[in-house]
Amino acid sequence: MSNTAVVVIDMINTYDHPDARTLLPSAQKAVPAMVRLIERARERDVPVIYVNDNFGEWRSHHGEILETALAGPHADLVEPLRPTEDSLFVVKARHSIFYETPLAYLLSRLDVGRIVLCGQVTEQCVLYSALDAHIRHLRVTIPADAVAHIHADLADAALTMMERNMGADIREADSITF
C-alpha cells in the first residue's frame, strides 16, 4: 500500500458541547491550514475522507450532520471545510476513527498506506486514531497546525507521543507532499 488519504476528523461540528468554548479558538486557528491541505489533496486526486461523530443521533446520516452544523452558530468553521460530492464520509460514535467503523476496509480498498490526520481534538480523537492507525501498520502524518485542541499542554504531549511512540511524522500542513 502506497497511496495517501487525508482524514478530516470531527470538523462537521455544531460546537454545542461542554468543551466548545475552550476548543473554538484553537479550531479557528487550525481551519485555514486544514483548508489549504484539503485543497492541495483534491488538486492531486488524493482521497479526502471525513470521519465524524454522529453526536448520538443514531438515525442521522452525513448530509443531516452537515446541515445541522451549517445551521449552527459556528457555520463559519464548517463551511470552508464542507465535503464535496467526491468526498468520502464515515460516521463514528467513539474517539477513534477506526472503532467500529468501515474505515480500515475503505483504506484497504483505496490501497492507502499513509494517512494524514487533521481536525479535532488533538489530545483525544486525533491521538486515539493515530494509535489505531499505527497498530494497523499505516504510516501517520499529523500537520501540527491543522489540528485543534482543548488543552494546549495535553495537545503538545499528544503530538510528542504520536511522534515518539508511533513514528508519526509531525510537520506543518504546507510542507506535506502527496
Side-chain angles (χ1 to χ4, degrees):
M1 292 189 290
S2 59
N3 293 328
T4 296
V6 172
V7 180
V8 183
I9 303 172
D10 288 338
M11 290 307 297
I12 310 303
N13 200 306
T14 61
Y15 296 93
D16 182 23
H17 51 80
D19 293 319
R21 191 172 101 315
T22 310
L23 173 60
L24 279 165
S26 181
Q28 291 164 336
K29 186 177 176 186
V31 163
M34 283 184 234
V35 169
R36 291 191 310 273
L37 178 69
I38 292 166
E39 286 174 352
R40 285 188 310 109
R42 287 180 176 147
E43 288 169 4
R44 290 164 180 80
D45 294 322
V46 170
V48 176
I49 305 168
Y50 290 78
V51 182
N52 216 88
D53 199 312
N54 71 356
F55 304 105
E57 298 296 326
W58 293 103
R59 286 184 272 203
S60 64
H61 55 81
H62 73 277
E64 186 176 345
I65 293 168
L66 178 62
E67 289 169 17
T68 300
L70 288 172
H74 300 288
D76 60 314
L77 294 177
V78 178
E79 182 60 43
L81 299 168
R82 178 186 215 135
T84 64
E85 294 295 319
D86 300 5
S87 300
L88 302 169
F89 204 102
V90 174
V91 176
K92 70 179 184 71
R94 300 297 297 168
H95 295 82
S96 173
I97 59 178
F98 292 96
Y99 183 74
E100 305 242 344
T101 74
L103 183 63
Y105 178 76
L106 174 60
L107 293 173
S108 72
R109 297 298 300 167
L110 296 172
D111 196 31
V112 168
R114 175 185 141 200
I115 58 174
V116 178
L117 300 177
C118 64
Q120 58 195 16
V121 168
T122 309
E123 66 272 27
Q124 295 174 13
C125 299
V126 176
L127 173 62
Y128 305 144
S129 298
L131 176 59
D132 278 355
H134 174 71
I135 64 173
R136 286 169 173 79
H137 304 286
L138 293 165
R139 289 177 290 128
V140 177
T141 299
I142 311 285
D145 57 336
V147 289
H149 60 268
I150 297 169
H151 303 285
D153 59 333
L154 296 178
D156 290 342
L159 289 169
T160 299
M161 287 172 47
M162 288 183 272
E163 184 174 46
R164 288 186 189 164
N165 299 344
M166 300 165 216
D169 180 17
I170 311 295
R171 59 178 53 227
E172 298 296 300
D174 293 339
S175 71
I176 294 173
T177 58
F178 299 107

